[in-house]
Amino acid sequence: MEDVAALAGVSRATVSRVVNDSPRVSPEAKESVYSAIRELGYVPNRAARTLVTRRTGAVAVVISEPESKIFDDPRFATVVRAAAGRLGELDAAMVLMLVHSPEDEARTERFLLGGHVDGALLFTPHRGDPLPSAMATLPIPAVFGGRPWAADHRLHLVDTDNREGGRIGSRHLMDLGRRRIVSVTGPLDEHAAIDRLDGWRLATGANEAETALLTESGHFARQGGERAMRALLDRVPDLDGVFAASDLMAAGAIDALRMAGRRVPEDVAVVGFDDQPAVAPHTSPPLTTIAQDASEQVRRMVHRLTRLIAGEDVPPGREVLPVHLVRRGSA
């Protein structure tokens, strides 16, 4: 920094203000400093800056899922891409952490406690995951995507209206005149899957016995959706509508229906959930689905997190984003 100041003909303090984007620098001084930086190849030392500011300039994105699911499900690609893009706009580095074992959980806690990042965005949906409870006590700002199982009023959450989405999708099938409507659910150790199933029950009025008969888990996977659909066809051969709790499962269900000789939508109408650009428009026929905006969810999470990192008084709680129906050929 002394070398840059000498070459630019300004004080060291001016170089510091330019590097830290202070508005209290004239355009001429900025240009002189940037010219000297280019000529000398100067790069600010992040470790030294951290000692002064107590900030690392990095944010952890923690996803509690197996690697196979993260790289097979386009929703996670959307989440990671949105987080990287938004954090990049804020000049923050993203540290991606995949957690799928007790060893991973312990390692993640140690990393977050070690002062390596300024905050964390967490996607930890499964029952029994210890990270949500741990984050409530760790001295690091954190925001959760979706609703974790830890019922702690100190947590910050940005969620999707999954129950309303399940209700809208199932109601749409009923409005089309479908009366034997089954549901391919996600894993019922996740609130999102439970809420979408509750929405289906609200719309159809299914009781406990009917729910057991008319639902099958596809575990948010395409192959799982296909297997679940085959099981439902065996149990409920007169089914005429399917609400699948994800687009991937809906695509698998359409595959199974085609193999069983059922036409979509003539014999069986199908509604999915997510409106994934890589899936919903490309099924045959294109998929009617419930749209949720994963990019907007991440944007809201990052906004909340940056305010927490800056020391603002942000009340904890759950922010819920709306959903809507997108009509295509499958229903």
Side-chain angles (χ1 to χ4, degrees):
M1 193 175 284
E2 296 286 359
D3 294 338
V4 170
L7 183 60
V10 298
S11 68
R12 187 181 186 281
T14 298
V15 175
S16 178
R17 284 194 287 270
V18 170
V19 168
N20 288 289
D21 295 323
S22 169
R24 297 184 300 131
V25 185
S26 70
E28 295 78 13
K30 273 189 178 181
E31 181 51 41
S32 296
V33 170
Y34 284 135
S35 177
I37 284 173
R38 287 192 294 269
E39 184 172 338
L40 294 173
Y42 168 72
V43 178
N45 186 303
R46 188 173 290 276
R49 181 180 290 181
T50 298
L51 290 174
V52 176
T53 65
R54 305 298 183 191
R55 302 275 176 81
T56 67
V59 168
V61 175
V62 181
I63 303 178
S64 291
E65 296 286 2
E67 291 180 17
S68 58
K69 184 171 182 179
I70 290 169
F71 292 113
D72 289 345
D73 189 333
R75 179 178 177 273
F76 288 110
T78 301
V79 165
V80 171
R81 186 164 54 245
R86 185 66 188 117
L87 291 170
E89 291 171 6
L90 299 173
D91 198 27
M94 184 184 80
V95 180
L96 179 62
M97 308 188 73
L98 309 183
V99 180
H100 191 52
S101 71
E103 294 77 19
D104 291 341
E105 290 158 3
R107 188 182 309 113
T108 299
E109 274 194 54
R110 289 198 304 271
F111 182 86
L112 296 177
L113 267 174
H116 303 291
V117 292
D118 298 324
L121 306 172
L122 298 103
F123 298 85
T124 55
H126 297 286
R127 188 199 301 266
D129 192 323
L131 277 175
S133 295
M135 292 307 299
T137 61
L138 291 180
I140 177 175
V143 179
F144 288 83
R147 187 153 53 108
W149 281 89
D152 195 303
H153 67 278
R154 293 169 292 179
L155 297 179
H156 293 262
L157 320 175
V158 180
D159 200 3
T160 296
D161 198 342
N162 292 294
R163 181 177 285 107
E164 178 65 1
R167 190 196 69 78
I168 292 171
S170 304
R171 182 73 246 178
H172 176 64
L173 290 167
M174 296 185 70
D175 290 344
L176 294 175
R178 310 296 168 141
R179 290 296 174 262
R180 198 66 163 155
I181 302 169
V182 300
S183 180
V184 178
T185 76
L188 297 182
D189 69 339
E190 296 188 28
H191 277 302
I194 294 170
D195 289 347
R196 293 172 196 183
L197 175 60
D198 284 347
W200 169 85
R201 294 178 67 173
L202 281 171
T204 62
N207 59 32
E208 190 172 333
E210 290 169 329
T211 298
L213 174 69
L214 300 175
T215 65
E216 187 77 21
S217 178
H219 300 284
F220 285 150
R222 183 166 187 152
Q223 288 183 332
E226 183 182 328
R227 286 193 297 269
M229 192 71 252
R230 288 202 302 265
L232 288 166
L233 283 167
D234 287 342
R235 286 206 307 269
V236 192
D238 60 338
L239 64 87
D240 60 1
V242 180
F243 169 65
S246 78
D247 288 350
L248 279 179
M249 294 192 300
I254 291 173
D255 293 339
L257 289 166
R258 184 183 301 109
M259 287 185 284
R262 306 291 183 94
R263 298 170 301 163
V264 177
E266 294 84 355
D267 302 325
V268 182
V270 179
V271 173
F273 199 115
D274 285 331
D275 195 26
Q276 276 294 331
V279 180
H282 303 293
T283 58
S284 182
L287 185 63
T288 293
T289 186
I290 300 298
Q292 64 165 333
D293 193 338
S295 296
E296 177 63 12
Q297 180 188 28
V298 171
R299 190 189 71 79
R300 299 283 188 96
M301 291 172 67
V302 172
H303 176 67
R304 184 177 283 250
L305 184 66
T306 52
R307 292 180 63 197
L308 290 169
I309 292 171
E312 293 185 32
D313 183 16
V314 184
R318 178 174 173 238
E319 180 180 0
V320 181
L321 304 182
V323 297
H324 64 275
L325 181 74
V326 176
R327 295 183 61 160
R328 298 190 181 95
S330 71

